[in-house]
Amino acid sequence: MIRVLFFGPVAERVGKSEVQVVFKAGMRLLDVREQLQVKYPAAFEIVCFTAVNGEHVLDMSLPLTEHSDVVFMSKFSGG
Amino acid sequence: MIRVLFFGPVAERVGKSEVQVVFKAGMRLLDVREQLQVKYPAAFEIVCFTAVNGEHVLDMSLPLTEHSDVVFMSKFSGG
Amino acid sequence: MKDAVRIQLEDFSQDEEIAALRASSKRMGGIATFIGCARDFSEGREVTQISFDAYGSMAVGEMNKLRDEATKKFALLGVRIVHRVGVVGAGEQIVFVAAGAEHRAPALQACQWLIDELKQRVPIWKKEITPQGEAWLTPHP
Amino acid sequence: MKDAVRIQLEDFSQDEEIAALRASSKRMGGIATFIGCARDFSEGREVTQISFDAYGSMAVGEMNKLRDEATKKFALLGVRIVHRVGVVGAGEQIVFVAAGAEHRAPALQACQWLIDELKQRVPIWKKEITPQGEAWLTPHP
């Protein structure tokens, strides 16, 4: 399983703060994004940043491993 | 009388923190400075700023009035 | 001793943070700090409270990276970063950044850099709670 | 309530100063502060204490002018300036400057401006006390 987390405004638009995506061999970050974008289009409108296991990731072709934590995030507004 | 005050390194070189100068009609700031500079040359080597009654003064031709407070100061080093 | 970099629900004390910062070095000649507060007014709306959501582990990870980068970039002797989460009332403190260096210029530059970068990089989100309802804040580009 | 601008023998508390500053406005979104500390080392010499002499009335007058000028220049909501005189031990606090504004950029700019101007304009002098003797500090141009 891939654990996908949502926070703040994205979590509000998704309606929950966590979903599970079944891991498949060869899966890339963009596969997870595409799968969820179809389900939660309003949430993904405001997604700007992606993190895998707590690190910013720009390259959507990044291969995922089983049990990865993926987070799709809107612009930060802390501070 | 004109009261002349010294602080910090200037007071150390003068050897005191206050002297009195007899007021004369028509007296200007530069008259006081010249009179004291002759007496305390080492102190006046490091004088950079002058204040009259608590205000910075650049114009040495400023006429003084009886009971003025005059201060000859070295570069500030607070903060 | 509290961690130099942390997120927490409760308020923080500048005196405590500065004392902890100064304990690390007597070579520190200058300390610059920034405190962000919850304003009671934002873009024409009255704001009574601000609620924060954070991706906690990544937020602390990014804040630690900021600390390490600033320490190298500005030759700092100490850095502290504290960000509150949960609900904060109008007028309350939200974030604290402190940079200590031998001289004042790098301390002041580092403080500004730290708060600017924190806003760009640290996964924390702010919801404004007004008498008319709640709204996640959309940062300006 | 202590004066917002003052010179004093005793140490100061950031918590107290920040609380007093914040009491003046709930519109304050950012507070930048600078604290100058007595270093235990200066230009290769060990320093055990620093002694300050001040032209008190003019120093406070100039500090109040700095406060007024900064308030106008940076549209500040509050300013506090505290400078210690007398003898300060190595590692102790010397000076505190705080600027509060609606947003962070003017607060940070004002804080830097205030400490830079204070050093240029406020008649206070510093004597370093070392194991080898005492010496008035000559500021670099």
Side-chain angles (χ1 to χ4, degrees):
Chain A
M1 283 294 188
I2 303 287
R3 189 169 72 143
V4 183
L5 303 173
F6 305 111
F7 295 94
V10 177
E12 188 178 71
R13 290 182 180 210
V14 170
K16 49 191 148 187
S17 59
E18 186 175 336
V19 300
Q20 306 274 345
V21 171
V22 178
F23 175 74
K24 286 174 198 157
M27 202 174 207
R28 288 167 187 276
L29 186 50
L30 57 85
D31 301 323
V32 174
R33 188 182 64 183
E34 277 168 13
Q35 193 174 322
L36 293 171
Q37 200 156 12
V38 171
K39 240 173 139 175
Y40 308 110
F44 277 80
E45 268 173 22
I46 58 168
V47 166
C48 286
F49 307 114
T50 306
V52 175
N53 299 326
E55 299 287 337
H56 282 290
V57 172
L58 293 172
D59 179 5
M60 285 294 136
S61 69
L62 182 83
L64 296 178
T65 52
E66 177 65 308
H67 307 304
S68 296
D69 274 355
V70 174
V71 190
F72 296 105
M73 302 177 284
S74 63
K75 251 185 236 164
F76 311 140
S77 55
Chain B
M1 282 294 189
I2 304 288
R3 191 170 69 143
V4 182
L5 303 174
F6 305 111
F7 295 95
V10 177
E12 187 178 73
R13 289 183 179 209
V14 170
K16 48 192 148 187
S17 60
E18 186 176 335
V19 300
Q20 306 275 343
V21 171
V22 179
F23 175 73
K24 287 174 197 156
M27 203 173 206
R28 288 167 187 276
L29 187 49
L30 58 85
D31 300 324
V32 174
R33 189 182 63 183
E34 278 168 13
Q35 192 174 325
L36 293 171
Q37 201 155 11
V38 171
K39 238 171 140 175
Y40 308 111
F44 277 79
E45 267 174 24
I46 58 168
V47 166
C48 286
F49 307 114
T50 306
V52 175
N53 299 326
E55 299 288 336
H56 281 291
V57 171
L58 293 172
D59 180 5
M60 285 294 137
S61 69
L62 183 82
L64 297 178
T65 52
E66 175 65 308
H67 307 305
S68 296
D69 274 356
V70 174
V71 190
F72 297 105
M73 303 177 284
S74 64
K75 252 186 236 164
F76 311 140
S77 54
Chain C
M1 177 93 91
K2 287 173 181 161
D3 284 345
V5 171
R6 60 192 200 272
I7 57 176
Q8 63 184 33
L9 287 166
E10 60 275 20
D11 198 9
F12 47 80
S13 153
Q14 288 90 17
D15 281 341
E16 245 180 62
E17 297 303 322
I18 296 293
L21 186 76
R22 288 172 56 219
S24 60
S25 170
K26 282 198 173 183
R27 296 275 152 99
M28 221 176 263
I31 298 169
T33 79
F34 178 80
I35 301 156
C37 301
R39 296 163 64 216
D40 67 351
F41 217 77
S42 169
E43 296 171 13
R45 293 186 313 276
E46 188 189 332
V47 177
T48 49
Q49 287 180 315
I50 296 182
S51 161
F52 289 92
D53 195 12
Y55 179 15
S57 58
M58 183 176 169
V60 171
E62 288 292 317
M63 283 155 69
N64 272 304
K65 281 185 203 162
L66 290 180
R67 183 187 191 221
D68 294 345
E69 286 179 41
T71 300
K72 269 189 215 151
K73 193 176 167 76
F74 301 99
L76 301 179
L77 297 169
V79 173
R80 295 187 78 87
I81 310 175
V82 184
H83 201 300
R84 288 177 69 191
V85 289
V87 175
V88 170
E92 283 186 52
Q93 310 188 114
I94 295 168
V95 63
F96 177 82
V97 168
E102 281 204 49
H103 298 287
R104 74 183 187 285
L108 287 158
Q109 285 159 18
C111 181
Q112 171 134 30
W113 184 86
L114 281 164
I115 187 67
D116 287 349
E117 290 292 312
L118 181 147
K119 285 180 176 262
Q120 295 299 317
R121 292 206 233 165
V122 177
I124 299 181
W125 297 268
K126 184 185 277 169
K127 182 162 66 174
E128 292 178 343
I129 301 170
T130 76
Q132 290 78 44
E134 304 182 357
W136 289 101
L137 192 125
T138 312
H140 299 288
Chain D
M1 178 92 94
K2 287 174 182 160
D3 285 344
V5 170
R6 60 191 200 274
I7 57 177
Q8 64 185 32
L9 286 165
E10 60 275 20
D11 199 9
F12 48 80
S13 153
Q14 288 89 18
D15 281 342
E16 245 180 61
E17 297 303 320
I18 296 294
L21 186 76
R22 287 171 57 220
S24 61
S25 171
K26 282 197 172 184
R27 297 275 152 96
M28 220 176 264
I31 298 169
T33 79
F34 177 79
I35 301 157
C37 301
R39 298 163 64 216
D40 67 351
F41 217 77
S42 168
E43 295 171 12
R45 294 187 311 277
E46 187 189 332
V47 177
T48 49
Q49 288 180 315
I50 296 182
S51 161
F52 289 92
D53 194 12
Y55 179 15
S57 58
M58 183 176 169
V60 171
E62 288 293 316
M63 284 155 70
N64 271 304
K65 280 185 203 162
L66 290 179
R67 184 188 190 219
D68 294 345
E69 286 178 42
T71 300
K72 270 189 215 154
K73 193 175 167 77
F74 300 99
L76 301 179
L77 297 169
V79 173
R80 295 187 79 86
I81 310 174
V82 184
H83 201 300
R84 288 177 69 191
V85 289
V87 175
V88 169
E92 283 188 51
Q93 309 188 115
I94 295 169
V95 64
F96 177 81
V97 168
E102 281 202 48
H103 298 287
R104 76 183 185 284
L108 288 158
Q109 285 159 19
C111 181
Q112 172 134 30
W113 184 86
L114 280 164
I115 187 66
D116 287 350
E117 290 291 312
L118 182 147
K119 285 179 177 264
Q120 294 300 318
R121 290 207 235 165
V122 177
I124 298 180
W125 297 269
K126 185 185 275 166
K127 182 163 65 176
E128 292 178 345
I129 301 169
T130 77
Q132 291 78 43
E134 305 182 356
W136 289 100
L137 192 124
T138 311
H140 299 291

